[in-house]
Amino acid sequence: MREGQVSEVSPRTTLFPGATQALREKLATACCILGSEGHNDIVYGHMSARSPVAERFWLKGAGLGLEEIGPTDLVELDLDGNVLTGTAARHLEYPIHSEIYRRRHDVMAVVHTHPFYGTVFGAMHARLLPLTHEGTLFVPPSIPTFTLTADLILTPELGAAVAETLGSHRALFLVNHGIVVVGTGIEEACVTALLLEKACRAQIAAQAAGEFAWTPDEEALRKRAHIYTPGAIQQIWSYHCRKLRR
Ligand SMILES: [Zn+2]
């Protein structure tokens, strides 16, 4: 975290000062958890959350690692990418976030990172399978892979294409690049990103070892319902918050 940095506060943000501060603190915590749990890639990768003000979102500032982020290292953007609040630099790939928020009204938080196993898996042209508990969160049906480009997602047009490929899924591989995960809240998006990385790691290890078994679709759906309840997601989040403080 950086001390002494003061964000400018836009007039409309002051309509929700308590909610905005709580959101910024939670988003910064989520960035730190991601950075400490396999999603760190120097200063690359970012997470965002919808602002209490409509059609705006808070995004991790550029130039710092995920695990370095504090509440003042975030910027508030509108869906056209204009910076409305905050002094940090804007990540170039903001259109991933803005175009998903534009299309998915159920999405309250978005993660885009370059975790090692998730990024390798996205290059493999393999279908993610439920080998472990974590895999059942994603399969069935499957996770799509965005293959239009391996380059950065720099324009609203490319962001829109990513959002279209994501469809109603909770995660997406960006070929030769990284992952995108969405959630109905900051906790869910963060935890889902951690679980995706473990699912990818398990399958890469299993494929390297040889033949392996995976859970059939019907049973995988039952496992998902048993294991990944909203309460369980909150427990996993709370565990990581405690771990971060230790
Ligand atoms: Zn990227």
Side-chain angles (χ1 to χ4, degrees), residues 33-206:
I33 291 171
L34 289 168
S36 304
E37 298 292 332
H39 287 255
N40 57 315
D41 181 19
I42 319 173
V43 296
Y44 306 115
H46 24 93
M47 180 172 183
S48 69
R50 275 194 199 270
S51 168
V53 183
E55 311 234 306
R56 296 182 178 197
F57 61 100
W58 285 89
L59 176 67
K60 169 195 171 289
L64 291 173
L66 283 161
E67 72 280 10
E68 298 180 293
I69 293 297
T72 58
D73 301 315
L74 309 168
V75 285
E76 190 185 30
L77 309 182
D78 64 21
L79 296 185
D80 294 323
N82 299 303
V83 177
L84 304 170
T85 316
T87 54
R90 183 188 66 180
H91 270 286
L92 296 173
E93 292 188 302
Y94 76 85
I96 294 174
H97 304 262
S98 56
E99 297 307 315
I100 289 175
Y101 290 129
R102 213 187 284 281
R103 286 161 181 78
R104 285 278 301 271
H105 299 289
D106 60 315
V107 168
M108 299 302 285
V110 177
V111 174
H112 164 57
T113 53
H114 311 151
F116 182 81
Y117 294 99
T119 304
V120 170
F121 197 92
M124 286 169 46
H125 299 301
R127 192 170 85 89
L128 189 70
L129 296 166
L131 274 68
T132 60
H133 288 348
E134 294 78 19
T136 65
L137 185 62
F138 305 97
V139 186
S142 65
I143 297 182
T145 302
F146 179 76
T147 57
L148 190 60
T149 179
D151 201 350
L152 303 184
I153 308 301
L154 298 176
T155 64
E157 290 71 26
L158 276 175
V162 168
E164 293 295 329
T165 304
L166 177 68
S168 60
H169 294 274
R170 67 177 80 228
L172 166 93
F173 295 113
L174 296 171
V175 69
N176 306 124
H177 180 167
I179 58 122
V180 175
V181 168
V182 299
T184 57
I186 291 172
E187 299 96 320
E188 184 185 306
C190 177
V191 167
T192 300
L194 303 186
L195 296 173
L196 177 61
E197 179 66 352
K198 189 173 174 195
C200 292
R201 183 179 178 182
Q203 187 164 335
I204 289 169

